[in-house]
C-alpha cells in the first residue's frame, strides 16, 4: 500500500519578468490624493493665519512723516547734475573720425 502525501513542487523560477502596472497606478493615484489633501490643508492653514493678522502695513503707510526739505533739495540737485552731464556728453564732438566720409 502506497501512501501519497502532498508533495510540494520546488519551483523557484519567476513566473513572468514583467512589472505589475496596476500596483504602480494605484500607488500614483494614492500619492496624488495625499498630496492634494496636504496642499488643501496647508492652504487653509495659511488662509487662517493671514486672515487673523491686522492690516498694520496700511496704517503705517497713512501715518508717514512729511518729506524733509533738505533731502528733497539734495535729490533735485542730483537730478540736475545728471541732466548737465548728459547734455555735456550729447553736445561734445566725437573723438573717432569716420574713415568712410
Amino acid at each position: 500500500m502506497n501512501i501519497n502525501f502532498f508533495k510540494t513542487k520546488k519551483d523557484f523560477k519567476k513566473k513572468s519578468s514583467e512589472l505589475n502596472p496596476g500596483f504602480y497606478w494605484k500607488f500614483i493615484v494614492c500619492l496624488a490624493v495625499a498630496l492634494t489633501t496636504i496642499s488643501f490643508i496647508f492652504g487653509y492653514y495659511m488662509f487662517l493665519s493671514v486672515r487673523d493678522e491686522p492690516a498694520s502695513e496700511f496704517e503705517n503707510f497713512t501715518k508717514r512723516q512729511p518729506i524733509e526739505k533738505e533731502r528733497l533739495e539734495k535729490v533735485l540737485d542730483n537730478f540736475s547734475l545728471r541732466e548737465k552731464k548728459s547734455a555735456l556728453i550729447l553736445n561734445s564732438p566725437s573723438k573717432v573720425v569716420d574713415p568712410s566720409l
Side-chain angles (χ1 to χ4, degrees):
M1 171 167 162
N2 283 338
I3 300 175
N4 291 330
F5 291 108
F6 295 108
K7 294 183 180 181
T8 59
K9 186 177 181 183
K10 296 181 180 179
D11 187 15
F12 297 109
K13 291 183 180 179
K14 193 173 182 181
K15 297 204 178 2
S16 68
S17 62
E18 296 177 4
L19 298 174
N20 185 6
F23 170 74
Y24 294 105
W25 276 111
K26 288 178 187 176
F27 179 73
I28 291 171
V29 169
C30 290
L31 185 65
V33 168
L35 288 175
T36 304
T37 305
I38 289 171
S39 66
F40 277 122
I41 292 171
F42 178 72
Y44 184 70
Y45 170 74
M46 291 300 291
F47 170 73
L48 289 179
S49 66
V50 169
R51 185 180 67 171
D52 294 337
E53 290 181 3
S56 62
E57 297 297 326
F58 181 71
E59 293 169 1
N60 290 340
F61 181 73
T62 57
K63 294 181 181 178
R64 286 191 178 172
Q65 300 293 331
I67 300 173
E68 297 175 8
K69 190 173 182 179
E70 295 85 23
R71 290 180 61 198
L72 183 61
E73 288 177 359
K74 185 178 178 182
V75 171
L76 290 175
D77 289 339
N78 188 11
F79 278 114
S80 65
L81 182 64
R82 286 184 182 185
E83 183 181 10
K84 290 177 185 175
K85 284 183 182 180
S86 297
L88 182 65
I89 291 172
L90 291 174
N91 293 333
S92 67
S94 176
K95 295 181 182 181
V96 179
V97 177
D98 190 8
S100 64
L101 296 177

